[in-house]
Amino acid sequence: MKRYIKLYWLYAKSHFKVMMEYRIDFLIGVLSVFGQQFASLFFLSVVFQHIETLNGWDFYEILFIYGIAFLGRALHHIFFDNLWTIGWQYIRTGNLDRLLMRPVNPLFQIIAERVQQDGFGQLLIGGGVLYVASDHLDMIWSFGDVLMLIVLVLSSGMLYIAINLFFATFSFWMVDSLPIVSAVFSLSDFARYPMTIYSKVLMFVLTYIIPFGFTAFYPAMYFFDGRGYGVMAIATPLVAIIACLIAYRFWLFGLKAFASTGS
């Protein structure tokens, strides 16, 4: 473990040195995320200028769900964004062969080769949104609540990672599964809203098939008394661990099926 921590630090330090050579690009990347997230928040505020509640949910309750989604997605975006490139950057080009020749876990190398700086902007926005929403909802935070929030946000990030890795692994058979990963991740937008506004079929899919519901909605239910789904909220860390184990096992299965582009 110490070896991998040291290696990750060396990878990250090298990556940040490269980014600092192009500081304008670094700032543009961070600012672009601010623009994207503020656009989605602006759209939400426009909707609530015309309605008071959405199937019984008010603006700040949904904003709280947004905040958890932003934080979980930011953790995935900062440290695991390179998973998106497995197909076109590693398998299609033959770069995976280079990683397999080293005495280091190839998945670790893929993850460590990129730190996405614009995710820090998303992290700041998520924290700000969560603070504003909880303030307007008059939430009283105990030490246990803060600790549980950290666990749930980490679990949310783990679920984004697991889902990304699982569908990116299809690149071993498709060469590039980016279209599938993009299509699947578009479903994560549904998890930013209360699941109760959807049909039972969609709610089932987002809970038991592609568990995006555990990235935002169910974790938020831990802090909303009387809304229900408390058991699902508490189960979020377990779901995240199981999802990561399934995704990693599937990755190992795909790795065994890998045939070099030079073969």
Side-chain angles (χ1 to χ4, degrees):
M1 181 61 72
K2 289 183 178 179
R3 179 191 179 210
Y4 277 96
I5 292 174
K6 183 178 180 180
L7 281 173
Y8 189 87
W9 169 247
L10 292 173
Y11 271 108
K13 187 166 64 172
S14 176
H15 185 74
F16 276 111
K17 284 181 179 179
V18 173
M19 287 192 298
M20 288 300 100
E21 290 293 324
Y22 305 94
R23 297 184 182 183
I24 299 299
D25 288 345
F26 176 86
L27 292 174
I28 290 174
V30 173
L31 292 175
S32 67
V33 169
F34 274 99
Q36 292 172 5
Q37 305 308 326
F38 277 122
S40 62
L41 294 174
F42 176 74
F43 172 77
L44 182 65
S45 66
V46 169
V47 170
F48 273 90
Q49 287 176 7
H50 297 83
I51 60 173
E52 292 185 4
T53 62
L54 181 62
N55 197 27
W57 298 83
D58 67 33
F59 173 72
Y60 289 104
E61 287 176 324
I62 296 178
L63 197 65
F64 188 88
I65 299 173
Y66 259 69
I68 292 180
F70 283 167
L71 289 173
R73 187 67 182 271
L75 294 178
H76 162 261
H77 191 55
I78 294 170
F79 302 107
F80 295 85
D81 195 62
N82 213 27
L83 292 175
W84 288 85
T85 71
I86 287 175
W88 61 267
Q89 183 168 307
Y90 292 94
I91 295 177
R92 176 181 291 177
T93 62
N95 279 329
L96 186 60
D97 297 50
R98 169 177 57 86
L99 304 186
L100 293 173
M101 293 174 65
R102 298 172 179 172
V104 179
N105 187 307
L107 181 59
F108 168 81
Q109 294 179 72
I110 291 173
I111 292 168
E113 283 190 344
R114 184 178 183 183
V115 177
Q116 191 67 300
Q117 74 277 8
D118 52 15
F120 290 104
Q122 191 172 12
L123 195 65
L124 290 173
I125 293 173
V129 166
L130 208 62
Y131 174 80
V132 171
S134 60
D135 185 56
H136 281 83
L137 293 170
D138 297 322
M139 289 184 173
I140 300 175
W141 292 87
S142 65
F143 176 77
D145 289 334
V146 173
L147 188 62
M148 191 62 181
L149 176 64
I150 294 172
V151 171
L152 291 172
V153 168
L154 289 174
S155 300
S156 173
M158 289 171 62
L159 280 161
Y160 280 117
I161 294 161
I163 294 169
N164 192 344
L165 177 60
F166 184 87
F167 287 97
T169 299
F170 281 100
S171 293
F172 285 115
W173 297 276
M174 301 173 58
V175 181
D176 188 2
S177 63
L178 183 59
I180 291 179
V181 179
S182 298
V184 168
F185 258 72
S186 66
L187 295 174
S188 67
D189 292 338
F190 289 103
R192 296 179 182 179
Y193 296 89
M195 300 274 283
T196 55
I197 70 175
Y198 304 126
S199 67
K200 291 183 178 180
V201 173
L202 183 56
M203 191 170 179
F204 179 85
V205 170
L206 295 176
T207 301
Y208 300 105
I209 308 300
I210 305 175
F212 278 123
F214 290 94
T215 63
F217 174 70
Y218 291 129
M221 293 306 97
Y222 179 85
F223 305 96
F224 291 163
D225 294 333
R227 285 293 191 179
Y229 302 104
V231 174
M232 304 295 275
I234 295 173
T236 297
L238 178 61
V239 173
I241 292 171
I242 293 173
C244 284
L245 289 174
I246 292 173
Y248 186 65
R249 293 294 298 178
F250 187 53
W251 159 265
L252 293 177
F253 176 73
L255 200 59
K256 290 180 181 179
F258 171 65
S260 173
T261 54
S263 298

